[in-house]
Amino acid sequence: MQIIRGLFIGLAAGLVVSLFRLTIEYGLRFVKFAYETMHQNYWLLIPWVIASVLLALLLGKMVQRYPAVQGSGIPQIEGQLAGSYEESWWPVLWRKFFGGILSIGSGLFLGREGPSIQLGATIGQGFAEIKHDDQVNRRVSIASGAAAGLSAAFNAPIASTLFILEEVYHNFSPLVWISALVSALTANFVSLNFFGLTPVLHITYSQSLPLNQYGHLIILGIVLGLLGRVYQMTLLHLPVWFGKLKGIKPAWYPVIPFVLVVIVGWFWPNTLGGGNGLIVQIAQHNPSIAVFGSLLILRFVFSMVSYGSMLPGGIFLPILTIGAVIGGLYSQMMVSMGWLNANLVSNFIIYAMAGYFAGIGKAPFTAILLITEMVGSLGHLMPLAVVSIVAFTVVDLLGGAPIYESLLNKLIKRTELINSDQVTTLQTTVFMGSRLDGQQVRDFDWPKGCLVTSIHRGERDIVPHGDTVIRGGDTLVVSVAPNQRQVAFTRVVSAAQTASDN
């Protein structure tokens, strides 16, 4: 049944996200063509600016009336799967589709991957509601759709499945991953029929990194971790900084990036969009230190302005783009000092993408597999792993939390739950060595309003009682009272995944 569910959701999500991705690509081509034309006919700049402002006001009004379509959408999906947030699927689906196309396709530094995840998740949610599924299968459908959406956006089905399980759902139950993987593979097949077999980031490199150069990976990982923490803190402070713009209503915020993007498009049209094309370009041409430095400032600042305006668009691909630029800047500096072979610059661009995302998202496994699938080569696994683990460790030592989890916490504080009077169901996998591993059900201090209703152990479903021993690898199904959702999620998931002090 889960395989059939995954096939249907993957097919629908793959089609919708592929059309979403294709329309954005054509939109960016049109925008770049428009700037080329305006360089020949300066007067066209006036109607272009007027149209940009009107479009910004339209989008600003939409996102204020329907906050569920703001940003990437990943925190919203994580909240749904945790039972701490809810939204209606159809209003979000069509508004995110068209709003994302207009925002990202206009050249703003926003990614298509987060919105693709939300589009896929809404399709999964719609599938479950049409079938009148229970809460467990409803969440499986949402997770499957989310994996399918990311897979269609990146053509990376394995990494997409792992990202949803590792970063969004925090659940490795066979019930979930089988359906999610089938959905991701199906959506990837649909997407490949639109875009072909060439990897999204097809970067050529002349040689693998020699073992005597691995010291650079440690240094690069530290740099990426430090800059990743700066990215986290900056992104989380954006609402405060935008709120200090006196006299400007939140519905007018999109006007700021839409006006600034005209300047960017006029002088640097090749930098427009999420950044996948830019990544391939810098890997092929190896720009100078000055160019890399300028790109780093431009990409960082304008991606923050774009995202802070609350338009429909994500940070997934912009993070990878900034990481690639940091890798290029570091390697070119090392080349200039004679400490690195110039042929290895493209290698470090690849490594830095994984490291920067691993640090900011605190999802190293996803980062390693994602870049491997997107680049289309297994030759970088060891360097990718080293950089990702170092960057992850640095961010962790600096007190950084996963960025999507932090965004979810901010979202919950300003959002009222939908259907808050209904009992919800929490699912979590018990890790080996965690505080719940080896405990009897009666021995754990469950939050008020929680009841363990089922334990999935391999192919068996166990109806638990007080003497039932919880084991590593089990998936707990816990019914939670409406007013205890967030408390239950925090305490139960922490106990299931945090190592015991013993």
Side-chain angles (χ1 to χ4, degrees), residues 21-35 101 103-108 110 112 269 271-276:
R21 176 179 165 186
L22 186 66
T23 309
I24 288 172
E25 289 189 3
Y26 277 112
L28 286 172
R29 291 179 190 176
F30 170 75
V31 168
K32 292 177 181 179
F33 169 77
Y35 282 111
I101 288 172
S103 300
I104 306 168
S106 298
L108 302 185
L110 295 169
R112 63 176 183 251
T271 66
L272 294 174
N276 54 302

Side-chain angles (χ1 to χ4, degrees), residues 217 351 354-355 358 364 367-368 380-392:
L217 299 177
Y351 308 152
I368 296 165
H380 303 295
L381 278 176
M382 185 63 178
L384 289 173
V386 173
V387 171
S388 297
I389 292 300
V390 172
F392 171 89

Side-chain angles (χ1 to χ4, degrees), residues 234-255:
T234 304
L235 192 77
L236 295 175
H237 279 86
L238 286 177
V240 177
W241 294 336
F242 268 83
K244 293 182 179 180
L245 298 174
K246 303 300 182 182
I248 300 180
K249 298 179 181 178
W252 300 348
Y253 289 167
V255 174

Side-chain angles (χ1 to χ4, degrees), residues 70-73 75 109-110 235 238 242 302-311 313-315 407:
Q70 293 177 3
S72 69
F109 289 5
L110 295 169
L235 192 77
L238 286 177
F242 268 83
F302 193 53
S303 66
M304 291 297 172
V305 174
S306 298
Y307 189 81
S309 64
M310 297 184 288
L311 286 165
I315 57 175
L407 291 171

Side-chain angles (χ1 to χ4, degrees), residues 162-163 166-167 354 357-368 388 392 402:
L162 183 60
F163 175 74
E166 179 186 22
E167 176 68 9
F357 181 80
I360 295 172
K362 300 197 74 175
F365 288 111
T366 297
I368 296 165
S388 297
F392 171 89

